[in-house]
């Protein structure tokens, strides 16, 4: 599965970067099929048929060279640190404040005899933040299995529900308590954003969960669920990279993972060389971007516009 | 029996939130019932969008994407109405579609009365394509052809025979585009619509997203930005209408003042507690 | 008329939660969840599956069967013996999604924003943008302990908190707009319609 994913990813990167397309013939074929559907549904044929002329796209868009170079540099840095992390197990990340709170939260739930609630974001499993949330779910699941605390997971998409079930099954197995795992405690609620928020709010208030984890990609529902959770007195830990939702989590949660700390947390907890190497590669990419900004600032000050124009993307 | 009176600052720190709900509700009710007609100034970001549409040639096509669902109607719908009003009034071609299934009928209810008012012909001067799933993938397909992705419009008419699409066959032929969005759809219009297809873009977003998309106005990726109910009210003022957004501005202003007052009270209580705690800690040390 | 009364009932039912949890609120919540789920199932069939797969297959175009079958394979997650098969469509979904996002975000967000930060530091606004960006980036540096960069990252946190405060303020504004709209509806459409 990993190699299939990786190969599709690489193909996608190359195609999308240079907009290599075989769309011309497909475009015409699809238009003809649309007419066939109209005929099949016994609709009258249009009096005029405009088959739009397929636009000829160049094989390579050279104005995208800067994007390609950036991707090569970032990929090279990430792959380098991936390689180093696999070979050198002493590579670590700095301690992230808020991760100790996971043990504290689960411990408190165990003392109170109340369940833990985990919401891995309000987007689907194809989003990067959701994947990071699921990695932390794995850790929380392990802790809950160890302390024999019930864990409720509420999701907004069926695919995420099944992925979460898989992850938790594995966590409970690793903790040596597969008997405690119940797939029914991982629920798919609804696709609708605010219906999902209403369901979470209702669950928190009625079940009186002792600890809440809101980790993943959130939007407007973040304020609703974190504020409602705050009124129940539960300990709340949140994490999202959506900067516009962070203020609400910061105001109503006990601990918040800000932005990229979410991704670093999943690497820190799992200690997997792949995740560690990725974070370290990104860190040095950020250092490079900072250097570019400093250089660009100097260029803007002294009027070296060519340097700045190289970063033009449109 | 002597009744112990709680110090006021202690009471303020533990104020029941239902008092806040009550005062905020009253601060909204009264201005709605008794309008104050507070002055409204137009900001440069909103003016930039207005000027861009106003200065487009008459042969231009403008896309307004109704990318919001019913939960964002209060903020986004007045923006969408004003924008459609402006485009139709100024005689440009208007194309409307949405990435949300519930919004197709809403767009229809907006466009019909405006079309009647400005005598615009469906299929020639404006069209409502309705909903199609796909988000960014749909947008990439629209770069080739409208009619491929939307063989039928919202009303069930074939798009093949519409004059609009013989003049403007794909997304690339647009002169301008405004995404009225409640979520992250603006992101892929920036990355695909602008970066790949080169169509200038503005956004009308809910107030929550204003700080996020201000950065794109600063870099020039967005021509302008309509933010929240105020952005909608400003645009209503520019096009010369008085809709729900304008009506809500008085209530919004008064409610903001009430909230600032409560924030101030709460913080005074918190700061006072911190100072007292530090003083008692110093006394214990001595 | 009926629609207005139903909307008003549900508005007031949800508002009742502000006082405390009660059966009316719970009724409204469950109806909302149920209707939205049913609605989305119907929309998925009519807008996604039928026009993109069923109609085309009936016309003789069998290419859409490939994504159609991949989608059906996902349902095998419900059968424990064949759960492993569902990993393949998930792999395709994640792989293609990541590739699309990576290019779009690198071009539209990363490079454009880096260019946008290359400003001449001759005005206070520009200086604040540059300092804020660089110091905030320092806070998110995980390779080194913060003791090496503590002062710089503290300034970065300051900028972050200022921006969060601004975001909070605009969100309060947004939420008030929603409340104003509901009150507007209750006053002018519901009660106004009655009298």
């Amino acid at each position: 599965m990993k190699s299939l994913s990786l190969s599709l990813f690489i193909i996608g990167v190359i195609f999308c970067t240079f907009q290599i397309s075989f769309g011309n013939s497909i475009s015409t074929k699809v238009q003809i099929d649309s007419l066939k559907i109209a005929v099949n549904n016994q609709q009258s044929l249009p009096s005029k048929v405009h088959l739009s002329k397929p636009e000829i796209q160049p094989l390579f868009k050279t104005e995208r060279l800067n994007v390609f170079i950036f991707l090569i540099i970032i990929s090279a840095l990430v792959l380098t640190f991936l390689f180093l992390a696999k070979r050198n197990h002493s590579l670590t990340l700095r301690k992230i404040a808020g991760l100790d709170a996971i043990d504290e939260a689960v411990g408190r739930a165990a003392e109170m005899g109340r369940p833990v609630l985990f919401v891995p974001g309000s987007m689907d499993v194809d989003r990067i933040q959701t994947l990071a949330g699921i990695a932390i779910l794995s850790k929380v699941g392990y802790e809950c299995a160890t302390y024999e605390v019930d864990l409720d997971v509420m999701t907004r998409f069926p695919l995420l529900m099944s992925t979460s079930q898989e992850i938790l099954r594995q966590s409970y197995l690793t903790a040596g308590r597969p008997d405690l795992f119940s797939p029914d405690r991982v629920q798919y609620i609804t696709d609708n954003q605010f219906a999902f928020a209403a369901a979470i709010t209702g669950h928190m208030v009625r079940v009186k969960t002792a600890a809440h984890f809101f980790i993943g990609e959130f939007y407007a529902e973040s304020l609703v669920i974190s504020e409602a959770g705050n009124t129940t007195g539960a300990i709340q830990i949140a994490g999202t990279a959506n900067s516009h939702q962070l203020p609400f989590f910061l105001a109503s949660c006990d601990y918040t993972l800000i932005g990229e700390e979410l991704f670093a947390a999943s690497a820190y907890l799992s200690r997997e060389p792949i995740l560690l190497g990725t974070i370290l590669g990104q860190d040095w990419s950020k250092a490079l971007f900072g250097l570019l900004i400093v250089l660009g600032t100097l260029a803007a000050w002294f009027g070296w516009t060519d340097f700045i124009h190289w970063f033009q993307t449109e | 029996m002597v009744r112990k009176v709680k110090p006021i600052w202690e009471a303020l720190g533990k104020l029941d939130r239902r008092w806040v709900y009550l005062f905020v509700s009253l601060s909204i009710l009264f201005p709605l019932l008794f309008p104050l007609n507070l002055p409204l100034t137009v900001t440069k970001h909103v003016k930039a969008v207005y000027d861009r549409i106003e200065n487009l040639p008459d042969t231009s096509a403008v896309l307004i994407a109704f990318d919001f669902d019913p939960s964002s109607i209060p903020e986004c719908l007045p923006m969408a109405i004003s924008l459609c009003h402006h485009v139709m009034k100024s005689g440009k071609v208007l194309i409307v579609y949405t990435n949300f299934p519930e919004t197709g009928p809403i767009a229809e209810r907006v466009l019909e009365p405006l079309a009647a008012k400005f005598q615009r012909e469906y299929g020639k001067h404006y069209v409502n394509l309705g909903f199609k799933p796909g988000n960014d993938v749909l947008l990439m397909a629209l770069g080739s052809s409208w009619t491929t992705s939307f063989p039928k419009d919202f009303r069930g008419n074939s798009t093949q025979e519409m004059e609009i699409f013989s003049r403007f066959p794909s997304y690339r032929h647009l002169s301008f585009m405004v995404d009225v969005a409640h979520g992250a759809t603006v992101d892929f219009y920036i990355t695909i619509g602008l970066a790949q297809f080169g169509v200038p873009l503005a956004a009308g977003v809910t107030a929550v997203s204003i700080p996020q998309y201000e950065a794109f106005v600063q870099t020039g990726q967005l021509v302008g930005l309509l933010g929240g109910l105020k952005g909608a009210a400003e645009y209503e003022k520019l096009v010369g209408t008085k809709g729900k957004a304008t009506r809500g501005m008085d209530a919004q202003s008064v409610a903001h003042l009430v909230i600032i007052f409560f924030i101030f009270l709460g913080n005074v209580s918190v700061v006072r507690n911190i100072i007292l705690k530090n003083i008692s800690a110093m006394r214990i040390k001595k | 008329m009926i629609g207005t009364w139903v909307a008003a009932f549900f508005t007031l039912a949800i508002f009742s939660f502000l006082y405390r949890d009660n059966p009316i609120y719970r009724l409204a919540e469950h109806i909302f969840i149920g209707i939205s789920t049913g609605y989305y199932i119907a929309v998925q069939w009519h807008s996604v599956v039928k026009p993109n797969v069923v109609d085309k297959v009936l016309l003789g175009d069998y290419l859409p069967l490939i994504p159609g079958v991949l989608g059906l394979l996902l349902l095998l997650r419900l059968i424990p013996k064949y759960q492993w098969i569902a990993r393949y469509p998930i792999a395709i979904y994640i792989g293609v999604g990541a590739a699309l996002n990576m290019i779009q975000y690198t071009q539209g967000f990363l490079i454009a924003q880096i260019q946008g930060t290359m400003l001449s530091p001759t005005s206070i606004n520009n200086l604040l943008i540059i300092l804020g960006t660089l110091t905030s980036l320092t806070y998110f540096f995980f390779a080194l302990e913060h003791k090496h960069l503590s002062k710089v990252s503290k300034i970065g946190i300051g900028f972050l908190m200022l921006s969060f405060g601004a975001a909070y303020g605009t969100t309060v504004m947004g939420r008030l707009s929603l409340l104003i709209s509901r009150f507007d509806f209750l006053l002018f459409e519901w009660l106004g319609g009655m009298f």
Side-chain angles (χ1 to χ4, degrees):
Chain A
M1 178 178 130
K2 277 184 196 169
S3 54
L4 176 62
S5 238
L6 184 60
S7 41
L8 281 167
F9 173 75
I10 291 167
I11 292 167
V13 164
I14 295 169
F15 269 58
C16 292
T17 305
F18 292 107
Q19 279 203 313
I20 298 169
S21 78
F22 302 100
N24 296 335
S25 55
I26 292 171
S27 170
T28 313
K29 182 179 178 308
V30 171
Q31 288 175 74
I32 291 169
D33 284 344
S34 313
L35 291 171
K36 281 185 187 170
I37 290 170
V39 169
N40 198 49
N41 291 343
Q42 295 177 341
Q43 291 168 347
S44 55
L45 273 175
S47 53
K48 283 182 199 172
V49 173
H50 300 280
L51 283 179
S52 55
K53 193 176 171 184
E55 303 205 6
I56 310 290
Q57 298 291 330
L59 195 60
F60 289 96
K61 273 195 167 180
T62 49
E63 54 266 29
R64 293 268 194 98
L65 192 63
N66 51 6
V67 179
F68 187 61
I69 290 173
F70 254 80
L71 283 170
I72 292 291
I73 293 172
I74 296 169
S75 306
L77 281 168
V78 168
L79 286 170
T80 304
F81 279 97
L82 253 169
F83 176 72
L84 286 173
K86 277 184 182 172
R87 290 186 68 145
N88 179 4
H89 294 281
S90 65
L91 280 180
T92 54
L93 303 176
R94 69 167 168 86
K95 197 170 166 72
I96 293 159
L99 284 184
D100 292 335
I102 293 179
D103 289 339
E104 185 190 330
V106 175
R108 184 165 151 175
E111 278 169 20
M112 293 170 74
R114 293 243 159 252
V116 169
L117 172 66
F118 195 106
V119 183
S122 68
M123 297 301 285
D124 209 350
V125 77
D126 63 324
R127 311 289 283 200
I128 298 161
Q129 291 181 66
T130 310
L131 295 174
I134 288 170
I136 297 175
L137 171 63
S138 174
K139 156 81 174 171
V140 171
Y142 178 87
E143 297 290 327
C144 288
T146 307
Y147 290 111
E148 296 182 12
V149 176
D150 289 332
L151 173 62
D152 294 330
V153 181
M154 300 176 86
T155 66
R156 201 181 145 199
F157 293 96
L159 198 53
L160 178 55
M161 178 197 76
S162 55
T163 310
S164 303
Q165 282 172 342
E166 179 89 4
I167 295 288
L168 273 183
R169 195 191 308 272
Q170 197 55 44
S171 298
Y172 276 69
L173 196 63
T174 309
R177 296 305 307 268
D179 52 301
L180 288 178
F181 173 66
S182 168
D184 293 337
R185 293 202 89 103
V186 182
Q187 301 171 48
Y188 157 68
I189 309 297
T190 174
D191 277 31
N192 185 282
Q193 184 184 18
F194 288 101
F196 180 55
I200 295 170
T201 306
H203 183 86
M204 287 191 288
V205 168
R206 287 188 285 274
V207 173
K208 293 185 178 41
T209 39
H212 304 149
F213 290 87
F214 306 127
I215 301 187
E217 190 166 351
F218 289 92
Y219 289 92
E221 69 285 346
S222 63
L223 181 57
V224 175
I225 58 179
S226 61
E227 186 57 28
N230 191 31
T231 60
T232 65
I235 182 170
Q236 300 198 117
I237 296 163
T240 182
N242 283 4
S243 54
H244 41 94
Q245 306 307 325
L246 282 166
F248 321 122
F249 283 145
L250 281 163
S252 50
C253 295
D254 297 279
Y255 300 95
T256 307
L257 298 169
I258 299 174
E260 219 194 321
E261 284 185 332
L262 168 65
F263 306 115
S266 63
Y268 185 87
L269 287 171
S270 62
R271 299 279 175 195
E272 266 198 47
I274 290 176
L275 294 176
L276 274 173
T278 313
I279 295 291
L280 289 169
Q282 285 176 47
D283 266 1
W284 292 104
S285 303
K286 270 181 279 191
L288 174 66
F289 302 149
L291 179 65
L292 285 173
I293 289 170
V294 170
L295 289 174
T297 304
L298 291 171
W301 200 359
F302 293 112
W304 303 329
T305 50
D306 286 343
F307 180 77
I308 298 170
H309 285 151
W310 188 82
F311 294 87
Q312 197 74 30
T313 53
E314 294 147 40
Chain B
M1 190 175 96
V2 175
R3 207 165 140 211
K4 206 173 176 185
V5 176
K6 210 186 265 185
I8 186 165
W9 300 115
E10 212 179 294
L12 276 173
K14 294 174 186 169
L15 186 67
D16 192 328
R17 58 185 60 215
R18 288 174 288 196
W19 285 110
V20 179
Y21 299 154
L22 179 65
F23 276 97
V24 168
S25 304
L26 290 172
S27 72
I28 289 172
L29 277 169
F30 279 112
L32 282 176
L33 290 168
F34 310 107
L36 303 168
N37 297 318
L38 295 169
L40 179 68
T41 49
V42 177
T43 53
K44 61 178 181 177
H45 292 334
V46 175
K47 188 76 172 49
V49 180
Y50 179 87
D51 288 341
R52 179 62 80 108
I53 293 177
E54 189 69 13
N55 295 330
L56 285 172
D58 287 346
T59 50
S60 309
V62 177
L63 168 69
I64 310 270
F66 280 48
D67 287 338
F68 55 93
D69 65 5
S71 64
S72 302
I73 278 176
E75 290 177 281
C76 293
L77 188 58
M79 280 180 213
I81 293 172
S82 307
L83 285 161
C84 291
H85 182 286
H86 188 199
V87 173
M88 284 200 176
K89 184 179 173 186
S90 57
K92 280 91 182 174
V93 168
L94 174 63
I95 300 174
V96 165
Y97 85 97
T98 175
N99 284 292
F100 289 83
E102 309 96 325
T103 317
I106 294 172
E108 195 67 11
R109 284 206 293 270
V110 167
L111 292 171
E112 269 185 20
L114 286 173
K117 183 177 177 182
F118 297 111
Q119 289 157 1
R120 310 300 284 165
E121 189 184 326
Y122 190 88
K124 186 177 174 185
H125 300 128
Y126 79 103
V127 65
N128 177 11
L129 292 169
F131 162 70
K132 186 91 178 180
N135 290 331
D136 46 352
V137 177
L138 171 67
L139 185 56
M140 288 171 76
L142 291 177
S144 302
S145 161
W146 287 106
T147 54
T148 307
S149 301
F150 289 99
K152 287 193 278 190
D153 68 356
F154 177 77
R155 297 180 186 183
N157 307 315
S158 168
T159 52
Q160 298 286 347
E161 60 182 44
M162 285 185 185
E163 192 180 320
I164 281 183
F165 297 118
S166 61
R167 290 170 60 198
F168 309 101
S170 75
Y171 189 98
R172 294 168 201 269
H173 294 87
L174 295 171
S175 300
F176 190 57
M177 180 281 156
V178 184
D179 184 24
V180 182
H182 87 137
T185 49
V186 183
D187 296 358
F188 57 79
Y189 285 107
I190 291 172
T191 55
I192 301 173
L194 175 67
Q196 290 190 22
F197 303 147
V199 176
L201 164 70
V205 297
T206 55
V208 176
S209 305
I210 294 172
Q212 180 184 358
Y213 291 110
E214 283 275 353
F216 295 98
V217 180
Q218 188 259 323
T219 57
Q221 288 166 289
L222 288 176
V223 165
L225 184 68
L226 279 67
L229 198 67
K230 176 145 195 310
E234 290 172 35
Y235 213 89
E236 281 178 359
K237 184 177 177 181
L238 285 169
V239 298
T241 57
K242 268 196 176 182
K244 284 190 176 181
T246 309
R247 193 159 75 198
M249 277 293 101
D250 290 342
Q252 183 129 70
S253 304
V254 176
H256 279 195
L257 287 172
V258 167
I259 286 174
I260 290 169
F261 176 69
F262 277 111
I263 291 173
F264 174 74
L265 279 184
N267 278 285
V268 163
S269 173
V270 165
V271 168
R272 183 180 171 275
N273 287 343
I274 291 172
I275 292 171
L276 285 177
K277 209 165 138 186
N278 287 341
I279 290 172
S280 63
M282 274 166 56
R283 278 187 190 153
I284 290 168
K285 263 190 192 171
K286 281 180 184 171
Chain C
M1 183 68 170
I2 295 172
T4 305
W5 275 87
V6 167
F9 167 74
F10 280 104
T11 300
L12 294 170
I14 298 293
F15 276 160
S16 67
F17 186 74
L18 293 172
Y19 186 67
R20 62 174 177 204
D21 188 24
N22 59 83
I24 307 279
Y25 166 78
R26 272 182 248 157
L27 173 71
E29 175 200 323
H30 284 96
I31 290 173
F32 184 28
I33 292 167
I35 288 178
S36 63
T37 308
Y39 179 84
Y40 276 104
I41 291 172
V43 162
Q44 289 299 318
W45 171 255
H46 284 287
S47 302
V48 181
V49 179
K50 186 172 178 297
N52 294 319
V53 181
V54 174
D55 285 346
K56 291 192 176 176
V57 167
L58 290 174
L59 277 174
D61 177 8
Y62 296 111
L63 207 59
L65 270 179
I66 298 173
V69 166
L70 284 172
L72 285 172
L73 285 178
L74 283 170
L75 292 173
L76 288 174
R77 287 205 65 86
L78 300 170
I79 306 169
K81 196 174 166 192
Y82 300 110
Q83 270 177 358
W84 61 272
I85 299 175
R87 289 182 192 159
Y88 288 94
I90 294 174
I92 293 168
Y93 189 41
I94 293 174
V96 174
L100 279 174
N101 278 318
M102 190 170 171
I103 309 306
Q104 290 168 16
Y105 280 79
T106 304
Q107 180 177 355
F109 284 42
L110 179 61
I111 300 176
Q113 292 296 317
I114 289 173
Q115 193 199 28
T117 318
M118 293 176 178
L119 303 162
S120 176
T122 47
S123 74
I124 293 181
N125 272 352
N126 289 356
L127 206 56
L128 282 173
I129 289 172
I130 296 162
L131 271 176
T133 307
L134 290 173
T135 52
S136 302
L137 273 174
T138 315
Y139 175 76
F140 293 108
F141 203 71
F142 300 104
L144 300 172
E145 286 292 333
H146 266 178
K147 63 182 182 216
H148 302 295
L149 301 159
S150 59
K151 286 189 178 119
V152 179
S153 67
K154 274 198 177 118
I155 298 172
I157 272 284
F159 274 102
L160 284 169
M161 290 302 150
L162 279 170
S163 70
F164 293 151
Y168 202 106
T170 51
T171 303
V172 168
M173 183 169 114
R175 298 293 182 256
L176 282 173
S177 306
L178 302 179
L179 184 61
I180 290 166
S181 164
R182 285 292 87 200
F183 277 35
D184 190 281
F185 163 79
L186 288 171
L187 283 176
F188 300 113
E189 287 183 48
W190 180 50
L191 292 173
M194 266 201 288
F195 301 109

